[in-house]
Amino acid sequence: MSEETEEAPPDVHHYQDRSEVPWDIQNYWAQRYKIFSKFDEGIWLTDDAWFGVTPEPVANKIAEHMASSAPAGCSILIDAFAGAGGNTIAFAKSGRWKRVYGIEKDHSVLQCAKHNAKIYGVQDKITWFEGDCFEILRNQLKVLAPYSAIFASPPWGGPGYRSDDVFNLRKMEPYSLQFLRSEFSLFTENMVLYLPRTSNLKQLAMEVKDDKKVMVMHYCMETSSKALCVYYGGFNMQ
Ligand code: ADP
């Protein structure tokens, strides 16, 4: 299908003007070029996806850090919760990976990611999977584990996520830290988790065995932390 005739699913939008934007997204609308610098080229988002996209400068920085610190034998990047494609596109743009795999369970959101990757000219570098990342990793991508790095930006929610100074990762919903670590256990040597900036660092440290290391990096924009990334295992962060 050509770019001109490509039709967005009914719950996908490219808003052109503030007056079209639902009230709860208006704050995000002001930041649209931070979210996607090519927004005006026709970026697609579902209304929910606005809240979850990693802003482009942060996505680029993470992609740069992962590219420079991943072990040499690691040639595949799996983005387990691709959303509308912010991180996946940045990984593909980095040029470090032989192949980037993006998994997303929501059909409309996945359509956004595919469309947005075209706008950034990286669609040929990405293989998309529609479905549950845990099942897809278990059933289709398990064999890639020795050559892969996994990046996971899970949904952020749970009691106290917005109100508590320190966020309890054991209560993160719908997937707790323990659940993610166990589901991704084949990949934990080369794993990066993207978590709320208030995440409980003690809980992260308790997961780490004596001879292993973990590195936590805050990603900031305009003097405030947007999120943190936890780099496990093989990543050689300087
Ligand atoms: P947030 O807005 O906090 O980033 P979301 O609930 O929007 O979180 O989740 C992020 C993305 O991950 C969404 O696009 C959602 O559809 C997707 N997602 C959630 N669970 C899974 C899963 N098990 N497998 C694949 N994608 C998932």
Side-chain angles (χ1 to χ4, degrees), residues 46 48-53 80-84 103-106 109-110 129 131-136 153-157 161-162 173-175 194:
T46 62
D48 281 346
W50 279 89
F51 305 102
V53 186
F81 303 93
I103 310 174
E104 170 54 50
K105 72 171 185 188
D106 183 296
V109 177
L110 182 62
F129 289 83
D132 177 74
C133 63
F134 308 115
E135 272 174 33
I136 288 168
S153 161
W156 295 353
Y161 156 55
R162 289 193 185 277
E173 288 175 2
Y175 316 120
Y194 182 80

PDB file of all heavy atoms in Angstrom, residues 46 48-53 80-84 103-106 109-110 129 131-136 153-157 161-162 173-175 194, ligand 1:
ATOM      1  N   THR A  46      -2.312   6.292  19.020  1.00  0.00           N
ATOM      2  CA  THR A  46      -3.627   6.131  19.643  1.00  0.00           C
ATOM      3  C   THR A  46      -3.650   7.106  20.822  1.00  0.00           C
ATOM      4  O   THR A  46      -2.594   7.560  21.271  1.00  0.00           O
ATOM      5  CB  THR A  46      -3.839   4.700  20.188  1.00  0.00           C
ATOM      6  OG1 THR A  46      -2.854   4.463  21.203  1.00  0.00           O
ATOM      7  CG2 THR A  46      -3.724   3.646  19.098  1.00  0.00           C
ATOM      8  N   ASP A  48      -4.145   6.533  23.928  1.00  0.00           N
ATOM      9  CA  ASP A  48      -3.401   5.975  25.060  1.00  0.00           C
ATOM     10  C   ASP A  48      -1.893   6.009  24.841  1.00  0.00           C
ATOM     11  O   ASP A  48      -1.119   6.175  25.785  1.00  0.00           O
ATOM     12  CB  ASP A  48      -3.803   4.511  25.308  1.00  0.00           C
ATOM     13  CG  ASP A  48      -5.113   4.425  26.060  1.00  0.00           C
ATOM     14  OD1 ASP A  48      -5.534   5.473  26.607  1.00  0.00           O
ATOM     15  OD2 ASP A  48      -5.717   3.334  26.089  1.00  0.00           O
ATOM     16  N   ALA A  49      -1.491   5.845  23.600  1.00  0.00           N
ATOM     17  CA  ALA A  49      -0.055   5.749  23.317  1.00  0.00           C
ATOM     18  C   ALA A  49       0.698   7.046  23.645  1.00  0.00           C
ATOM     19  O   ALA A  49       1.896   7.012  23.938  1.00  0.00           O
ATOM     20  CB  ALA A  49       0.184   5.353  21.862  1.00  0.00           C
ATOM     21  N   TRP A  50      -0.007   8.181  23.628  1.00  0.00           N
ATOM     22  CA  TRP A  50       0.649   9.456  23.966  1.00  0.00           C
ATOM     23  C   TRP A  50       1.358   9.377  25.319  1.00  0.00           C
ATOM     24  O   TRP A  50       2.418   9.960  25.510  1.00  0.00           O
ATOM     25  CB  TRP A  50      -0.388  10.594  24.053  1.00  0.00           C
ATOM     26  CG  TRP A  50      -0.789  11.171  22.738  1.00  0.00           C
ATOM     27  CD1 TRP A  50      -1.800  10.744  21.939  1.00  0.00           C
ATOM     28  CD2 TRP A  50      -0.191  12.291  22.066  1.00  0.00           C
ATOM     29  NE1 TRP A  50      -1.879  11.533  20.814  1.00  0.00           N
ATOM     30  CE2 TRP A  50      -0.911  12.491  20.871  1.00  0.00           C
ATOM     31  CE3 TRP A  50       0.860  13.158  22.364  1.00  0.00           C
ATOM     32  CZ2 TRP A  50      -0.594  13.512  19.975  1.00  0.00           C
ATOM     33  CZ3 TRP A  50       1.178  14.175  21.466  1.00  0.00           C
ATOM     34  CH2 TRP A  50       0.450  14.334  20.293  1.00  0.00           C
ATOM     35  N   PHE A  51       0.767   8.650  26.268  1.00  0.00           N
ATOM     36  CA  PHE A  51       1.299   8.630  27.634  1.00  0.00           C
ATOM     37  C   PHE A  51       2.536   7.746  27.761  1.00  0.00           C
ATOM     38  O   PHE A  51       3.293   7.864  28.703  1.00  0.00           O
ATOM     39  CB  PHE A  51       0.227   8.141  28.623  1.00  0.00           C
ATOM     40  CG  PHE A  51      -1.047   8.945  28.541  1.00  0.00           C
ATOM     41  CD1 PHE A  51      -2.160   8.464  27.868  1.00  0.00           C
ATOM     42  CD2 PHE A  51      -1.108  10.207  29.124  1.00  0.00           C
ATOM     43  CE1 PHE A  51      -3.324   9.219  27.778  1.00  0.00           C
ATOM     44  CE2 PHE A  51      -2.272  10.968  29.036  1.00  0.00           C
ATOM     45  CZ  PHE A  51      -3.386  10.469  28.361  1.00  0.00           C
ATOM     46  N   GLY A  52       2.688   6.832  26.807  1.00  0.00           N
ATOM     47  CA  GLY A  52       3.742   5.832  26.981  1.00  0.00           C
ATOM     48  C   GLY A  52       4.970   6.017  26.102  1.00  0.00           C
ATOM     49  O   GLY A  52       5.981   5.358  26.327  1.00  0.00           O
ATOM     50  N   VAL A  53       4.898   6.939  25.128  1.00  0.00           N
ATOM     51  CA  VAL A  53       6.037   7.036  24.204  1.00  0.00           C
ATOM     52  C   VAL A  53       7.250   7.651  24.906  1.00  0.00           C
ATOM     53  O   VAL A  53       7.124   8.655  25.602  1.00  0.00           O
ATOM     54  CB  VAL A  53       5.702   7.917  22.965  1.00  0.00           C
ATOM     55  CG1 VAL A  53       6.834   7.872  21.957  1.00  0.00           C
ATOM     56  CG2 VAL A  53       4.417   7.472  22.322  1.00  0.00           C
ATOM     57  N   ALA A  80      10.565  -5.405  23.756  1.00  0.00           N
ATOM     58  CA  ALA A  80       9.462  -6.289  24.163  1.00  0.00           C
ATOM     59  C   ALA A  80       8.104  -5.585  24.221  1.00  0.00           C
ATOM     60  O   ALA A  80       7.068  -6.225  24.040  1.00  0.00           O
ATOM     61  CB  ALA A  80       9.774  -6.916  25.519  1.00  0.00           C
ATOM     62  N   PHE A  81       8.104  -4.283  24.521  1.00  0.00           N
ATOM     63  CA  PHE A  81       6.842  -3.528  24.605  1.00  0.00           C
ATOM     64  C   PHE A  81       6.995  -2.319  23.668  1.00  0.00           C
ATOM     65  O   PHE A  81       7.243  -1.205  24.118  1.00  0.00           O
ATOM     66  CB  PHE A  81       6.593  -3.049  26.035  1.00  0.00           C
ATOM     67  CG  PHE A  81       6.557  -4.142  27.072  1.00  0.00           C
ATOM     68  CD1 PHE A  81       7.706  -4.493  27.776  1.00  0.00           C
ATOM     69  CD2 PHE A  81       5.375  -4.816  27.367  1.00  0.00           C
ATOM     70  CE1 PHE A  81       7.675  -5.500  28.752  1.00  0.00           C
ATOM     71  CE2 PHE A  81       5.329  -5.819  28.328  1.00  0.00           C
ATOM     72  CZ  PHE A  81       6.481  -6.156  29.026  1.00  0.00           C
ATOM     73  N   ALA A  82       6.842  -2.565  22.377  1.00  0.00           N
ATOM     74  CA  ALA A  82       7.259  -1.541  21.401  1.00  0.00           C
ATOM     75  C   ALA A  82       6.392  -0.288  21.425  1.00  0.00           C
ATOM     76  O   ALA A  82       6.845   0.785  21.049  1.00  0.00           O
ATOM     77  CB  ALA A  82       7.270  -2.148  20.005  1.00  0.00           C
ATOM     78  N   GLY A  83       5.135  -0.396  21.844  1.00  0.00           N
ATOM     79  CA  GLY A  83       4.258   0.776  21.840  1.00  0.00           C
ATOM     80  C   GLY A  83       4.192   1.384  20.440  1.00  0.00           C
ATOM     81  O   GLY A  83       4.215   0.660  19.437  1.00  0.00           O
ATOM     82  N   ALA A  84       4.173   2.718  20.382  1.00  0.00           N
ATOM     83  CA  ALA A  84       4.066   3.397  19.083  1.00  0.00           C
ATOM     84  C   ALA A  84       5.414   3.533  18.389  1.00  0.00           C
ATOM     85  O   ALA A  84       5.520   4.206  17.368  1.00  0.00           O
ATOM     86  CB  ALA A  84       3.413   4.755  19.257  1.00  0.00           C
ATOM     87  N   ILE A 103       7.923  -5.985  19.536  1.00  0.00           N
ATOM     88  CA  ILE A 103       6.732  -6.762  19.894  1.00  0.00           C
ATOM     89  C   ILE A 103       5.702  -5.823  20.528  1.00  0.00           C
ATOM     90  O   ILE A 103       6.044  -5.030  21.410  1.00  0.00           O
ATOM     91  CB  ILE A 103       7.071  -7.880  20.924  1.00  0.00           C
ATOM     92  CG1 ILE A 103       8.283  -8.690  20.456  1.00  0.00           C
ATOM     93  CG2 ILE A 103       5.857  -8.768  21.163  1.00  0.00           C
ATOM     94  CD1 ILE A 103       8.777  -9.710  21.481  1.00  0.00           C
ATOM     95  N   GLU A 104       4.473  -5.938  20.079  1.00  0.00           N
ATOM     96  CA  GLU A 104       3.393  -5.108  20.646  1.00  0.00           C
ATOM     97  C   GLU A 104       2.092  -5.894  20.540  1.00  0.00           C
ATOM     98  O   GLU A 104       1.793  -6.460  19.497  1.00  0.00           O
ATOM     99  CB  GLU A 104       3.324  -3.776  19.877  1.00  0.00           C
ATOM    100  CG  GLU A 104       2.125  -2.909  20.182  1.00  0.00           C
ATOM    101  CD  GLU A 104       1.927  -2.588  21.661  1.00  0.00           C
ATOM    102  OE1 GLU A 104       2.867  -2.151  22.336  1.00  0.00           O
ATOM    103  OE2 GLU A 104       0.795  -2.818  22.146  1.00  0.00           O
ATOM    104  N   LYS A 105       1.335  -5.904  21.638  1.00  0.00           N
ATOM    105  CA  LYS A 105       0.135  -6.750  21.621  1.00  0.00           C
ATOM    106  C   LYS A 105      -1.109  -6.049  21.082  1.00  0.00           C
ATOM    107  O   LYS A 105      -2.061  -6.704  20.689  1.00  0.00           O
ATOM    108  CB  LYS A 105      -0.138  -7.322  23.013  1.00  0.00           C
ATOM    109  CG  LYS A 105      -0.636  -6.320  24.005  1.00  0.00           C
ATOM    110  CD  LYS A 105      -1.089  -7.015  25.276  1.00  0.00           C
ATOM    111  CE  LYS A 105      -1.700  -5.994  26.207  1.00  0.00           C
ATOM    112  NZ  LYS A 105      -2.000  -6.492  27.518  1.00  0.00           N
ATOM    113  N   ASP A 106      -1.088  -4.714  21.071  1.00  0.00           N
ATOM    114  CA  ASP A 106      -2.288  -3.971  20.642  1.00  0.00           C
ATOM    115  C   ASP A 106      -2.188  -3.681  19.137  1.00  0.00           C
ATOM    116  O   ASP A 106      -1.247  -3.017  18.677  1.00  0.00           O
ATOM    117  CB  ASP A 106      -2.351  -2.668  21.451  1.00  0.00           C
ATOM    118  CG  ASP A 106      -3.583  -1.852  21.133  1.00  0.00           C
ATOM    119  OD1 ASP A 106      -3.724  -1.385  19.976  1.00  0.00           O
ATOM    120  OD2 ASP A 106      -4.408  -1.686  22.036  1.00  0.00           O
ATOM    121  N   VAL A 109      -1.920   0.037  18.068  1.00  0.00           N
ATOM    122  CA  VAL A 109      -0.650   0.637  18.479  1.00  0.00           C
ATOM    123  C   VAL A 109       0.481   0.121  17.581  1.00  0.00           C
ATOM    124  O   VAL A 109       1.369   0.876  17.172  1.00  0.00           O
ATOM    125  CB  VAL A 109      -0.368   0.348  19.974  1.00  0.00           C
ATOM    126  CG1 VAL A 109       0.986   0.903  20.398  1.00  0.00           C
ATOM    127  CG2 VAL A 109      -1.467   0.947  20.847  1.00  0.00           C
ATOM    128  N   LEU A 110       0.400  -1.153  17.242  1.00  0.00           N
ATOM    129  CA  LEU A 110       1.422  -1.720  16.352  1.00  0.00           C
ATOM    130  C   LEU A 110       1.361  -1.061  14.969  1.00  0.00           C
ATOM    131  O   LEU A 110       2.408  -0.791  14.358  1.00  0.00           O
ATOM    132  CB  LEU A 110       1.247  -3.236  16.234  1.00  0.00           C
ATOM    133  CG  LEU A 110       2.292  -3.938  15.376  1.00  0.00           C
ATOM    134  CD1 LEU A 110       3.692  -3.778  15.967  1.00  0.00           C
ATOM    135  CD2 LEU A 110       1.975  -5.428  15.228  1.00  0.00           C
ATOM    136  N   PHE A 129       6.231  -8.048  15.608  1.00  0.00           N
ATOM    137  CA  PHE A 129       5.409  -9.165  16.078  1.00  0.00           C
ATOM    138  C   PHE A 129       4.205  -8.585  16.786  1.00  0.00           C
ATOM    139  O   PHE A 129       4.356  -7.706  17.641  1.00  0.00           O
ATOM    140  CB  PHE A 129       6.170 -10.025  17.099  1.00  0.00           C
ATOM    141  CG  PHE A 129       7.278 -10.831  16.504  1.00  0.00           C
ATOM    142  CD1 PHE A 129       8.521 -10.262  16.284  1.00  0.00           C
ATOM    143  CD2 PHE A 129       7.086 -12.165  16.170  1.00  0.00           C
ATOM    144  CE1 PHE A 129       9.549 -11.000  15.739  1.00  0.00           C
ATOM    145  CE2 PHE A 129       8.111 -12.913  15.617  1.00  0.00           C
ATOM    146  CZ  PHE A 129       9.353 -12.332  15.405  1.00  0.00           C
ATOM    147  N   GLY A 131       1.401  -9.466  19.420  1.00  0.00           N
ATOM    148  CA  GLY A 131       1.006 -10.468  20.403  1.00  0.00           C
ATOM    149  C   GLY A 131       1.678 -10.233  21.748  1.00  0.00           C
ATOM    150  O   GLY A 131       2.336  -9.200  21.955  1.00  0.00           O
ATOM    151  N   ASP A 132       1.507 -11.204  22.619  1.00  0.00           N
ATOM    152  CA  ASP A 132       2.032 -11.119  23.970  1.00  0.00           C
ATOM    153  C   ASP A 132       3.543 -11.401  23.965  1.00  0.00           C
ATOM    154  O   ASP A 132       3.979 -12.458  23.498  1.00  0.00           O
ATOM    155  CB  ASP A 132       1.295 -12.153  24.830  1.00  0.00           C
ATOM    156  CG  ASP A 132       1.836 -12.196  26.241  1.00  0.00           C
ATOM    157  OD1 ASP A 132       1.545 -11.266  27.000  1.00  0.00           O
ATOM    158  OD2 ASP A 132       2.579 -13.140  26.553  1.00  0.00           O
ATOM    159  N   CYS A 133       4.328 -10.455  24.470  1.00  0.00           N
ATOM    160  CA  CYS A 133       5.787 -10.602  24.357  1.00  0.00           C
ATOM    161  C   CYS A 133       6.295 -11.841  25.090  1.00  0.00           C
ATOM    162  O   CYS A 133       7.255 -12.476  24.639  1.00  0.00           O
ATOM    163  CB  CYS A 133       6.495  -9.347  24.845  1.00  0.00           C
ATOM    164  SG  CYS A 133       6.235  -8.967  26.570  1.00  0.00           S
ATOM    165  N   PHE A 134       5.646 -12.195  26.193  1.00  0.00           N
ATOM    166  CA  PHE A 134       6.142 -13.348  26.973  1.00  0.00           C
ATOM    167  C   PHE A 134       5.975 -14.638  26.157  1.00  0.00           C
ATOM    168  O   PHE A 134       6.873 -15.468  26.099  1.00  0.00           O
ATOM    169  CB  PHE A 134       5.425 -13.423  28.317  1.00  0.00           C
ATOM    170  CG  PHE A 134       5.474 -12.120  29.068  1.00  0.00           C
ATOM    171  CD1 PHE A 134       4.317 -11.395  29.337  1.00  0.00           C
ATOM    172  CD2 PHE A 134       6.688 -11.589  29.480  1.00  0.00           C
ATOM    173  CE1 PHE A 134       4.370 -10.179  29.997  1.00  0.00           C
ATOM    174  CE2 PHE A 134       6.753 -10.368  30.143  1.00  0.00           C
ATOM    175  CZ  PHE A 134       5.589  -9.660  30.404  1.00  0.00           C
ATOM    176  N   GLU A 135       4.808 -14.738  25.499  1.00  0.00           N
ATOM    177  CA  GLU A 135       4.573 -15.919  24.653  1.00  0.00           C
ATOM    178  C   GLU A 135       5.488 -15.932  23.437  1.00  0.00           C
ATOM    179  O   GLU A 135       6.030 -16.971  23.070  1.00  0.00           O
ATOM    180  CB  GLU A 135       3.122 -15.919  24.149  1.00  0.00           C
ATOM    181  CG  GLU A 135       2.179 -16.601  25.088  1.00  0.00           C
ATOM    182  CD  GLU A 135       0.731 -16.455  24.631  1.00  0.00           C
ATOM    183  OE1 GLU A 135       0.477 -16.416  23.408  1.00  0.00           O
ATOM    184  OE2 GLU A 135      -0.128 -16.352  25.517  1.00  0.00           O
ATOM    185  N   ILE A 136       5.641 -14.775  22.822  1.00  0.00           N
ATOM    186  CA  ILE A 136       6.463 -14.709  21.601  1.00  0.00           C
ATOM    187  C   ILE A 136       7.928 -15.014  21.927  1.00  0.00           C
ATOM    188  O   ILE A 136       8.599 -15.744  21.196  1.00  0.00           O
ATOM    189  CB  ILE A 136       6.277 -13.337  20.912  1.00  0.00           C
ATOM    190  CG1 ILE A 136       4.877 -13.301  20.297  1.00  0.00           C
ATOM    191  CG2 ILE A 136       7.340 -13.090  19.851  1.00  0.00           C
ATOM    192  CD1 ILE A 136       4.401 -11.956  19.833  1.00  0.00           C
ATOM    193  N   SER A 153      10.235  -1.827  28.157  1.00  0.00           N
ATOM    194  CA  SER A 153       9.611  -0.647  28.740  1.00  0.00           C
ATOM    195  C   SER A 153       8.174  -1.040  29.097  1.00  0.00           C
ATOM    196  O   SER A 153       7.253  -0.803  28.325  1.00  0.00           O
ATOM    197  CB  SER A 153       9.654   0.464  27.677  1.00  0.00           C
ATOM    198  OG  SER A 153       8.751   1.472  27.951  1.00  0.00           O
ATOM    199  N   PRO A 154       8.017  -1.712  30.242  1.00  0.00           N
ATOM    200  CA  PRO A 154       6.700  -2.279  30.569  1.00  0.00           C
ATOM    201  C   PRO A 154       5.715  -1.174  30.952  1.00  0.00           C
ATOM    202  O   PRO A 154       6.133  -0.040  31.192  1.00  0.00           O
ATOM    203  CB  PRO A 154       7.005  -3.152  31.789  1.00  0.00           C
ATOM    204  CG  PRO A 154       8.163  -2.485  32.442  1.00  0.00           C
ATOM    205  CD  PRO A 154       8.985  -1.885  31.328  1.00  0.00           C
ATOM    206  N   PRO A 155       4.421  -1.513  31.004  1.00  0.00           N
ATOM    207  CA  PRO A 155       3.467  -0.521  31.524  1.00  0.00           C
ATOM    208  C   PRO A 155       3.857  -0.138  32.951  1.00  0.00           C
ATOM    209  O   PRO A 155       4.331  -0.979  33.702  1.00  0.00           O
ATOM    210  CB  PRO A 155       2.137  -1.284  31.523  1.00  0.00           C
ATOM    211  CG  PRO A 155       2.316  -2.418  30.581  1.00  0.00           C
ATOM    212  CD  PRO A 155       3.765  -2.779  30.621  1.00  0.00           C
ATOM    213  N   TRP A 156       3.692   1.146  33.256  1.00  0.00           N
ATOM    214  CA  TRP A 156       3.974   1.631  34.607  1.00  0.00           C
ATOM    215  C   TRP A 156       2.649   1.840  35.321  1.00  0.00           C
ATOM    216  O   TRP A 156       1.856   2.703  34.948  1.00  0.00           O
ATOM    217  CB  TRP A 156       4.695   2.977  34.566  1.00  0.00           C
ATOM    218  CG  TRP A 156       6.060   2.944  33.963  1.00  0.00           C
ATOM    219  CD1 TRP A 156       6.779   1.848  33.572  1.00  0.00           C
ATOM    220  CD2 TRP A 156       6.874   4.081  33.663  1.00  0.00           C
ATOM    221  NE1 TRP A 156       7.989   2.243  33.060  1.00  0.00           N
ATOM    222  CE2 TRP A 156       8.077   3.592  33.104  1.00  0.00           C
ATOM    223  CE3 TRP A 156       6.721   5.463  33.829  1.00  0.00           C
ATOM    224  CZ2 TRP A 156       9.107   4.446  32.704  1.00  0.00           C
ATOM    225  CZ3 TRP A 156       7.731   6.300  33.428  1.00  0.00           C
ATOM    226  CH2 TRP A 156       8.917   5.801  32.881  1.00  0.00           C
ATOM    227  N   GLY A 157       2.416   1.059  36.346  1.00  0.00           N
ATOM    228  CA  GLY A 157       1.196   1.266  37.108  1.00  0.00           C
ATOM    229  C   GLY A 157       1.267   0.466  38.380  1.00  0.00           C
ATOM    230  O   GLY A 157       2.208  -0.293  38.597  1.00  0.00           O
ATOM    231  N   TYR A 161       1.963   4.500  42.314  1.00  0.00           N
ATOM    232  CA  TYR A 161       2.891   4.833  41.225  1.00  0.00           C
ATOM    233  C   TYR A 161       3.026   6.350  41.043  1.00  0.00           C
ATOM    234  O   TYR A 161       4.126   6.867  40.873  1.00  0.00           O
ATOM    235  CB  TYR A 161       2.475   4.123  39.922  1.00  0.00           C
ATOM    236  CG  TYR A 161       2.984   4.830  38.700  1.00  0.00           C
ATOM    237  CD1 TYR A 161       4.348   5.104  38.559  1.00  0.00           C
ATOM    238  CD2 TYR A 161       2.123   5.267  37.702  1.00  0.00           C
ATOM    239  CE1 TYR A 161       4.833   5.791  37.466  1.00  0.00           C
ATOM    240  CE2 TYR A 161       2.598   5.947  36.606  1.00  0.00           C
ATOM    241  CZ  TYR A 161       3.948   6.220  36.491  1.00  0.00           C
ATOM    242  OH  TYR A 161       4.414   6.911  35.415  1.00  0.00           O
ATOM    243  N   ARG A 162       1.903   7.066  41.124  1.00  0.00           N
ATOM    244  CA  ARG A 162       1.992   8.513  40.931  1.00  0.00           C
ATOM    245  C   ARG A 162       2.267   9.282  42.221  1.00  0.00           C
ATOM    246  O   ARG A 162       2.839  10.363  42.194  1.00  0.00           O
ATOM    247  CB  ARG A 162       0.699   9.052  40.303  1.00  0.00           C
ATOM    248  CG  ARG A 162       0.588   8.618  38.867  1.00  0.00           C
ATOM    249  CD  ARG A 162      -0.488   9.355  38.100  1.00  0.00           C
ATOM    250  NE  ARG A 162      -0.591   8.785  36.770  1.00  0.00           N
ATOM    251  CZ  ARG A 162       0.187   9.109  35.761  1.00  0.00           C
ATOM    252  NH1 ARG A 162       1.098  10.038  35.898  1.00  0.00           N
ATOM    253  NH2 ARG A 162       0.048   8.532  34.585  1.00  0.00           N
ATOM    254  N   GLU A 173       2.189  -2.929  38.244  1.00  0.00           N
ATOM    255  CA  GLU A 173       1.110  -3.641  37.546  1.00  0.00           C
ATOM    256  C   GLU A 173       1.088  -3.285  36.064  1.00  0.00           C
ATOM    257  O   GLU A 173       1.389  -2.143  35.709  1.00  0.00           O
ATOM    258  CB  GLU A 173      -0.241  -3.265  38.173  1.00  0.00           C
ATOM    259  CG  GLU A 173      -0.417  -3.871  39.543  1.00  0.00           C
ATOM    260  CD  GLU A 173      -1.697  -3.399  40.236  1.00  0.00           C
ATOM    261  OE1 GLU A 173      -2.473  -2.629  39.634  1.00  0.00           O
ATOM    262  OE2 GLU A 173      -1.895  -3.782  41.382  1.00  0.00           O
ATOM    263  N   PRO A 174       0.761  -4.219  35.214  1.00  0.00           N
ATOM    264  CA  PRO A 174       0.353  -5.586  35.552  1.00  0.00           C
ATOM    265  C   PRO A 174       1.535  -6.547  35.741  1.00  0.00           C
ATOM    266  O   PRO A 174       1.307  -7.686  36.107  1.00  0.00           O
ATOM    267  CB  PRO A 174      -0.468  -6.009  34.320  1.00  0.00           C
ATOM    268  CG  PRO A 174       0.134  -5.237  33.185  1.00  0.00           C
ATOM    269  CD  PRO A 174       0.595  -3.929  33.762  1.00  0.00           C
ATOM    270  N   TYR A 175       2.770  -6.099  35.491  1.00  0.00           N
ATOM    271  CA  TYR A 175       3.907  -7.021  35.584  1.00  0.00           C
ATOM    272  C   TYR A 175       4.884  -6.505  36.641  1.00  0.00           C
ATOM    273  O   TYR A 175       5.466  -5.430  36.472  1.00  0.00           O
ATOM    274  CB  TYR A 175       4.630  -7.136  34.234  1.00  0.00           C
ATOM    275  CG  TYR A 175       3.707  -7.263  33.045  1.00  0.00           C
ATOM    276  CD1 TYR A 175       3.729  -6.316  32.018  1.00  0.00           C
ATOM    277  CD2 TYR A 175       2.815  -8.325  32.931  1.00  0.00           C
ATOM    278  CE1 TYR A 175       2.876  -6.418  30.923  1.00  0.00           C
ATOM    279  CE2 TYR A 175       1.956  -8.429  31.842  1.00  0.00           C
ATOM    280  CZ  TYR A 175       1.993  -7.470  30.851  1.00  0.00           C
ATOM    281  OH  TYR A 175       1.145  -7.562  29.771  1.00  0.00           O
ATOM    282  N   TYR A 194      13.332  -0.297  31.427  1.00  0.00           N
ATOM    283  CA  TYR A 194      13.025   1.142  31.453  1.00  0.00           C
ATOM    284  C   TYR A 194      11.903   1.329  32.470  1.00  0.00           C
ATOM    285  O   TYR A 194      10.790   0.842  32.268  1.00  0.00           O
ATOM    286  CB  TYR A 194      12.591   1.545  30.050  1.00  0.00           C
ATOM    287  CG  TYR A 194      12.268   3.002  29.835  1.00  0.00           C
ATOM    288  CD1 TYR A 194      13.281   3.930  29.641  1.00  0.00           C
ATOM    289  CD2 TYR A 194      10.956   3.450  29.771  1.00  0.00           C
ATOM    290  CE1 TYR A 194      12.996   5.271  29.386  1.00  0.00           C
ATOM    291  CE2 TYR A 194      10.655   4.790  29.518  1.00  0.00           C
ATOM    292  CZ  TYR A 194      11.691   5.685  29.329  1.00  0.00           C
ATOM    293  OH  TYR A 194      11.407   7.013  29.078  1.00  0.00           O
TER     294      TYR A 194
HETATM  295  P1  ADP B   1       2.602   3.011  29.687  1.00  0.00           P
HETATM  296  O1  ADP B   1       1.574   3.961  29.107  1.00  0.00           O
HETATM  297  O2  ADP B   1       2.755   3.081  31.168  1.00  0.00           O
HETATM  298  O3  ADP B   1       3.923   3.008  28.954  1.00  0.00           O
HETATM  299  P2  ADP B   1       1.055   0.852  28.569  1.00  0.00           P
HETATM  300  O4  ADP B   1       0.033   0.175  29.438  1.00  0.00           O
HETATM  301  O5  ADP B   1       0.582   1.746  27.492  1.00  0.00           O
HETATM  302  O6  ADP B   1       2.085   1.530  29.503  1.00  0.00           O
HETATM  303  O7  ADP B   1       1.979  -0.300  27.954  1.00  0.00           O
HETATM  304  C1  ADP B   1       3.028  -0.011  27.067  1.00  0.00           C
HETATM  305  C2  ADP B   1       2.805  -0.778  25.781  1.00  0.00           C
HETATM  306  O8  ADP B   1       3.069  -2.158  26.028  1.00  0.00           O
HETATM  307  C3  ADP B   1       1.375  -0.685  25.274  1.00  0.00           C
HETATM  308  O9  ADP B   1       1.407  -0.345  23.901  1.00  0.00           O
HETATM  309  C4  ADP B   1       0.796  -2.076  25.499  1.00  0.00           C
HETATM  310  O10 ADP B   1      -0.125  -2.462  24.500  1.00  0.00           O
HETATM  311  C5  ADP B   1       2.061  -2.934  25.422  1.00  0.00           C
HETATM  312  N1  ADP B   1       1.972  -4.195  26.166  1.00  0.00           N
HETATM  313  C6  ADP B   1       1.511  -4.397  27.420  1.00  0.00           C
HETATM  314  N2  ADP B   1       1.619  -5.705  27.776  1.00  0.00           N
HETATM  315  C7  ADP B   1       2.165  -6.339  26.711  1.00  0.00           C
HETATM  316  C8  ADP B   1       2.546  -7.688  26.449  1.00  0.00           C
HETATM  317  N3  ADP B   1       2.386  -8.646  27.369  1.00  0.00           N
HETATM  318  N4  ADP B   1       3.101  -7.986  25.263  1.00  0.00           N
HETATM  319  C9  ADP B   1       3.291  -7.017  24.315  1.00  0.00           C
HETATM  320  N5  ADP B   1       2.954  -5.731  24.487  1.00  0.00           N
HETATM  321  C10 ADP B   1       2.398  -5.382  25.669  1.00  0.00           C
END
